[in-house]
Amino acid sequence: MSESVVREFDICVVGLGPSGRALAYRAIVAGLRVAAVDPRPDRLWPPTFSCWIDELPDWLPHSVIASRIPTPVVWTTSEIKIERPYCVLSKPLLRDALPLDDARVYAGRATRVDAREVELADGTVIRAAVVADSRGMPALGNRRAASAHGIFVNAETAAPMVGDGEGLLLDWRPENGAGPDEPPSFLYSVPLGDGTVIFEETSLGLRGGMPQHELRKRTLARLAAHGIELTGEEPSEAAHYPLDTPPPKNGVGRVVPYGSRGGMMHPCTGYSVADSFALADTAVTAILAGEDPIGALWPWQARLTYWMRSRGLWGLGRLTTEQSIAMFDSFFSASPRAQRALLSSHDDYTALGAVLFNTVSHTWPFRWRYDLVGWTNRDRWAGYPFAPATSETRSSGSRK
């Protein structure tokens, strides 16, 4: 039943994924009057969330960490150990660490989201000084995408490839069955802390993304190469979303897109949750001061950083497997600060510019640098005809 009285709030957050829930929670802690809207506000989020441990803000307890990986590994032409602890987050504990007890939570679907009002499907209208839209990503279409297909394997079965406390962030070893003239993909694999390990073949930067059946076929090929036998009943996880949602325009009185909807999806990696957590207090501080939250979230340094990363995304989307390996081999020889500038930092544009330049200049053979910067083969994989799915490569389940 529609509410007859319209309530006034300091902020209304639409969408209670991790980013929206974190923003609403931090607004509550700051003493703001908070409304939150989501069709299923208490649902457990489907995706797997991971990040570097040093990206987590101080206010988030480390008890939300389900699995720690002290030294994750990247495979290019050889094994590279990254001396930077990485983690997988527990979805139930993360949700519990962001309580909304002091907010007014509306379990409904927003049909209209304006700068000062949100209307729900039942006719309820919520008014707020600031409206934040955290409903996630729009439709992919033919945009540059992150695509992944993960299979959840019992930890004991997975142990020959990934054991407890180990993790493969980018595994470019030639074990996925793809030929040199096919679009590239790599393996991501980490223990989840619940007795399972996810093996997830991943593609970054292709227009329209890589089909799930192709990614599944490649994941199965990698597992077979390591002698890992599946029962066929293992649950799976699918990811398919755009990487090129830019930062919103500044301006007091606008809807504030937040999280992946607001430009916080990293164009080169597909990560967004840790950045959204880290920036929640920045947005809340601006609201308390009566300033533009978008301007606070996106100063020119951060916008320049995003722009440079978007050029890296375009480069990723046109490389061959050999070129990708050479490029990552060059990148992971950079200093820790340089690596963080690309992988994590919101606004370290000077270090980012340097590492992008050095990555290109140290990629060999020399002619491949033209592909990296887009002078040649700019649309290499456009319209690539992936083979159709077979009964073997159709998913056997879904992660609940």
Side-chain angles (χ1 to χ4, degrees):
M1 181 179 295
S2 173
E3 292 188 358
S4 58
V5 178
V6 175
R7 298 191 59 181
E8 299 274 353
F9 297 90
D10 296 314
I11 181 173
C12 178
V13 179
V14 184
L16 290 177
S19 299
R21 195 174 180 97
L23 178 60
Y25 169 67
R26 294 307 292 171
I28 293 168
V29 171
L32 295 176
R33 295 169 299 159
V34 178
V37 175
D38 192 281
R40 298 171 59 197
D42 295 320
R43 76 193 189 284
L44 195 61
W45 309 299
T48 300
F49 301 117
S50 307
C51 65
W52 304 100
I53 291 179
D54 59 28
E55 292 179 309
L56 296 174
D58 292 339
W59 54 260
L60 189 66
H62 278 204
S63 59
V64 303
I65 295 175
S67 174
R68 295 173 183 265
I69 303 163
T71 311
V73 165
V74 170
W75 272 96
T76 54
T77 54
S78 60
E79 182 184 56
I80 303 171
K81 293 184 177 181
I82 310 299
E83 300 293 336
R84 186 184 180 193
Y86 186 83
C87 69
V88 179
L89 304 179
S90 164
K91 289 181 283 188
L93 294 179
L94 179 59
R95 182 186 58 189
D96 293 346
L98 305 172
L100 301 183
D101 298 344
D102 293 328
R104 176 66 165 91
V105 179
Y106 293 83
R109 182 174 60 86
T111 56
R112 177 172 61 88
V113 179
D114 295 333
R116 295 285 187 264
E117 288 189 348
V118 176
E119 184 173 358
L120 307 187
D122 68 357
T124 299
V125 176
I126 306 162
R127 288 181 180 166
V130 174
V131 172
D133 190 350
S134 298
R135 290 177 294 176
M137 304 297 286
L140 173 60
N142 198 39
R143 298 166 63 185
R144 297 195 180 275
S147 303
H149 183 87
I151 301 175
F152 298 89
V153 178
N154 178 277
E156 185 177 347
T157 303
M161 194 170 178
V162 176
D164 185 42
E166 300 176 343
L168 298 170
L169 294 192
L170 298 103
D171 187 347
W172 286 99
R173 285 176 289 185
E175 299 170 341
N176 65 4
D181 297 324
E182 297 180 65
S185 63
F186 61 89
L187 179 71
Y188 169 86
S189 183
V190 290
L192 302 183
D194 62 356
T196 63
V197 174
I198 186 172
F199 290 93
E200 191 164 57
E201 193 73 11
T202 305
S203 163
L204 295 175
L206 290 187
R207 285 197 178 277
M210 187 175 289
Q212 287 294 309
H213 68 266
E214 176 67 22
L215 291 164
R216 181 174 178 82
K217 179 180 72 174
R218 296 185 184 195
T219 308
L220 293 171
R222 287 192 188 273
L223 294 174
H226 287 263
I228 296 176
E229 298 182 2
L230 303 183
T231 65
E233 300 300 320
E234 291 82 5
S236 62
E237 174 180 280
H240 200 55
Y241 50 85
L243 290 170
D244 57 358
T245 300
K249 294 180 179 180
N250 291 351
V252 175
R254 295 177 180 269
V255 174
V256 180
Y258 196 78
S260 59
R261 196 179 189 93
M264 295 175 192
M265 177 70 70
H266 194 303
C268 298
T269 68
Y271 287 69
S272 67
V273 169
D275 207 33
S276 301
F277 290 170
L279 292 171
D281 282 355
T282 300
V284 170
T285 300
I287 294 169
L288 287 168
E291 298 173 353
D292 175 21
I294 300 175
L297 292 166
W298 291 103
W300 68 266
Q301 297 92 333
R303 291 180 182 274
L304 179 57
T305 297
Y306 182 93
W307 181 85
M308 287 192 286
R309 284 173 173 162
S310 69
R311 270 57 193 169
L313 166 65
W314 296 349
L316 279 174
R318 55 179 165 252
L319 299 183
T320 65
T321 297
E322 278 190 303
Q323 290 172 334
S324 298
I325 292 171
M327 187 269 291
F328 280 109
D329 214 17
S330 174
F331 170 73
F332 282 106
S333 67
S335 69
R337 180 190 171 185
Q339 292 184 31
R340 283 178 171 83
L342 176 65
L343 298 174
S344 299
S345 176
H346 187 62
D347 56 8
D348 192 359
Y349 65 95
T350 53
L352 176 59
V355 73
L356 289 174
F357 177 84
N358 288 333
T359 296
V360 172
S361 64
H362 289 91
T363 297
W364 194 260
F366 185 91
R367 67 181 184 280
W368 286 356
R369 302 173 193 178
Y370 296 118
D371 287 6
L372 273 170
V373 300
W375 291 347
T376 53
N377 294 305
R378 180 171 294 183
D379 298 312
R380 171 180 269 128
W381 303 119
Y384 183 85
F386 289 99
T390 65
S391 58
E392 184 181 0
T393 59
R394 293 189 179 96
S395 295
S396 60
S398 62
R399 185 74 164 182
K400 298 298 184 184

